[in-house]
Amino acid sequence: MKFPTPHDHNLGLQHDLETMARRFAQRRRMVQLLMMSSAAAALGACGDGSDGDTTASASSDSGSASGGSSSGSSASDSCVATASETAGPYPADGSNTVGGVVSNVLTQSGVVRSDIRSSFGGSTTIAPGVPLELTLTLLNSNNLCAPLSGYAVYLWHCTRDGNYSLYSGPALDENFLRGVQVADASGQVKFTTIFPGCYSGRYPHIHFEVYPSLEMATLYANRAHTSQLALPRDICSTVYSGAEGYSASVRNLSSVTISNDNVFGDNSAAQMAAMTPSLSGDIVAGYVGAALLGIPA
């Protein structure tokens, strides 16, 4: 891939301490998310009548949503602004080219979808891998953590063997594992995808860009925030060693840690997604993930 391979890292006491800290942070964030979701549901049941008509469908393949944050109160009174990070070399948001042609999947019909496992348009190829149901909650870190209803999230990540659609290897002619969703009244977006692989030089991650509205989610210049989510190392190890197609990720993961990753080295605790197995507990059945994102809107 495009990133340099880091030196081997001795996994000793420091690694164990990092692992314990990450697991504590993950459990805390998951509990916070569940509490926030429950409170948001209660607020919705009470109804203040102020923004009931601005809720956008999170699974629509077309249409529009109004920009700006919800006028209602947030169910959470504390959120940390998620660190800004690079979009990397494979964003397909109009900011770079492939073969001399500008790559921008955001302008293609069909990119607004919840299930991003398949390509759309000229191909319907499905990216194989362990299923992952990911829920992101957008909160305004500049306004009492109010839900950012109507904001749009563009999410993308690599395949199980470390390739990015539209850019690399056998995924060059595909556009799977990319999609846009609009936040509902609680500031939530949901994506059905696969568990990303780990490629040489980077810790396992998921990219995302946040836009003020669906109408503005057509070009990188309109984005309000760009960042990445890290995935729990213990879950990565379980998936990579136990699921088909992830064999290269076992080796790549052994050569990178949170602390020596060139993106997460200084911000990992605030960018770690909470992750739990599906109800069946079977790797093949997949995982459920969640993250609270503080957006300085």
Side-chain angles (χ1 to χ4, degrees):
M1 302 300 295
K2 302 293 184 181
F3 297 93
T5 301
H7 297 294
D8 289 341
H9 186 73
N10 182 25
L11 304 180
L13 177 59
Q14 182 62 32
H15 172 263
D16 293 340
L17 292 175
E18 291 176 354
T19 299
M20 292 173 64
R22 288 196 304 274
R23 290 180 179 175
F24 176 79
Q26 294 161 19
R27 293 190 181 101
R28 182 179 60 188
R29 286 165 65 82
M30 182 63 84
V31 170
Q32 184 183 16
L33 178 61
L34 291 174
M35 292 177 65
M36 188 199 70
S37 298
S38 298
L43 286 173
C46 294
D48 60 9
S50 61
D51 58 0
D53 293 334
T54 65
T55 303
S57 171
S59 60
S60 172
D61 288 336
S62 61
S64 62
S66 59
S69 62
S70 169
S71 60
S73 300
S74 169
S76 173
D77 59 3
S78 64
C79 60
V80 178
T82 303
S84 295
E85 304 290 3
T86 176
Y90 313 115
D93 59 1
S95 60
N96 62 12
T97 62
V98 179
V101 178
V102 174
S103 180
N104 189 357
V105 74
L106 296 176
T107 60
Q108 297 180 12
S109 176
V111 71
V112 182
R113 67 230 181 99
S114 178
D115 191 334
I116 64 174
R117 291 175 294 181
S118 67
S119 286
F120 57 92
S123 172
T124 56
T125 302
I126 298 175
V130 172
L132 172 61
E133 298 285 344
L134 183 63
T135 298
L136 306 179
T137 302
L138 309 182
L139 303 176
N140 189 343
S141 60
N142 285 340
N143 184 21
L144 301 176
C145 298
L148 290 175
S149 173
Y151 272 56
V153 176
Y154 168 41
L155 181 141
W156 74 97
H157 60 79
C158 71
T159 63
R160 67 181 182 182
D161 52 0
N163 291 303
Y164 281 86
S165 65
L166 298 172
Y167 287 88
S168 51
L172 181 63
D173 295 324
E174 305 293 344
N175 55 17
F176 48 45
L177 306 183
R178 299 178 185 274
V180 174
Q181 279 287 279
V182 179
D184 63 16
S186 298
Q188 289 190 343
V189 295
K190 297 182 179 181
F191 291 94
T192 298
T193 185
I194 65 164
F195 203 94
C198 178
Y199 54 85
S200 179
R202 277 304 316 276
Y203 188 83
H205 60 282
I206 293 175
H207 296 266
F208 66 91
E209 292 176 344
V210 178
Y211 290 82
S213 68
L214 182 60
E215 291 87 352
M216 297 185 71
T218 56
L219 184 66
Y220 75 99
N222 299 329
R223 60 194 176 183
H225 194 71
T226 303
S227 193
Q228 300 180 28
L229 290 174
L231 305 180
R233 191 180 188 91
D234 55 345
I235 301 295
C236 291
S237 297
T238 298
V239 172
Y240 297 161
S241 62
E244 180 181 356
Y246 290 91
S247 58
S249 294
V250 175
R251 178 182 66 255
N252 293 331
L253 183 63
S254 69
S255 298
V256 67
T257 66
I258 280 285
S259 60
N260 68 15
D261 183 72
N262 61 0
V263 170
F264 298 124
D266 58 348
N267 295 305
S268 59
Q271 294 172 265
M272 183 69 68
M275 202 77 64
T276 58
S278 64
L279 293 178
S280 69
D282 185 358
I283 295 178
V284 177
Y287 288 80
V288 175
L292 292 173
L293 305 178
I295 308 300

